[in-house]
Amino acid sequence: MTIWNLGSINADMVYGLPHLPGPGETLAAKGLERFLGGKGANMSVAAARAGSQVSHIGAVGPDGRWAKDRLTEYGVDTRHITEVDVPTGHAIIAVDAEGENLIVLYPGSNHALEVQQLEQALSLASAGDLLVMQNETNAQVEAARLGHELGLTVCYAAAPFQADAVEAVLPYLDFLILNQIEAEQLQQATGLSAADLPVEHVVVTLGSDGARYHKRGKDPVVFDAHKVQAVDTTGAGDTFTGYVLAGMDRGMPLAQAITQANRAAALMVTRHGTADVIPDLKEVQAARFD
């Protein structure tokens, strides 16, 4: 099967800081690195490195050809990434000495996708394939509706979080992943807890406490995270999601896919960077945790 990812592509500019700045504070960065990023690109790389066939649907500007080439190098099918006359999306990421981060995001070409491009790509999809989206591109509702009509397993990573964006795609979803704060915000907007949402599979990530899985009609199951020394949490959630999707794609029970994704996320937070440093399946399987 194939994982189709309507996903963002960014240049991640990562600045090392002694601490995260407060309002009006000016800080000198200790370092600067550029990585391939964007929640969509991160998930595509993670799923490809976990052993799945991944086809990315997206856009870059004339300044972003390097990003498309990098995705190709990592095993992602990039035939459905188009070049548009809008600058490539980018993120300014500040990371402190404890590995926590803050992110300023410019969407750029990620919001210049045409529905026709989406339709052309998904015309090649087969029933049973997976379709994933995040809230960093346009055409999310059109993609979710089309994926549902085509018999795809429709997945949504609800970040950056907007309750109305989740509500718009909710009727078409088979799988929803969001963090604990986002789950609380969605409950405030809809009146529905994660367990009560009309979605077959809901995963609530809990940061260093792991993840909670809600299968519709069943009691929730908590999966503990591995304890590691985090140096950079950027991209860890995307790595987790990509590995969960790859597990689903490869026919794993979702509990097994979450267990493997927890291992991948634990490795990811011990590294500086985003898509370029996502661990591959051999690394994840070989990792030893205390």
Side-chain angles (χ1 to χ4, degrees), residues 33 65 78 109 118 154-156 160 185 188 191 210 232 244 248 253:
E33 297 177 277
R65 294 170 190 168
T78 60
S109 56
L118 173 69
V154 182
C155 312
Y156 192 70
Q185 292 174 335
Q188 291 174 359
D232 185 355
V244 169
M248 294 169 63

Side-chain angles (χ1 to χ4, degrees), residues 212-236:
R212 186 172 63 248
Y213 168 45
H214 300 266
K215 180 173 171 58
R216 199 171 183 182
K218 303 289 186 180
D219 291 334
V221 180
V222 174
F223 296 81
D224 292 333
H226 298 281
K227 303 304 179 184
V228 296
Q229 182 62 48
V231 299
D232 185 355
T233 58
T234 311

Side-chain angles (χ1 to χ4, degrees), residues 150-168:
L150 292 172
L152 310 185
T153 299
V154 182
C155 312
Y156 192 70
F161 183 79
Q162 289 179 297
D164 57 349
V166 181
E167 289 182 88

Side-chain angles (χ1 to χ4, degrees), residues 236-267:
D238 302 332
T239 299
F240 178 91
T241 299
Y243 264 81
V244 169
L245 295 174
M248 294 169 63
D249 172 60
R250 297 168 62 203
M252 287 183 179
L254 201 49
Q256 184 180 348
I258 293 171
T259 298
Q260 182 167 273
N262 265 344
R263 295 174 62 83
L267 274 182

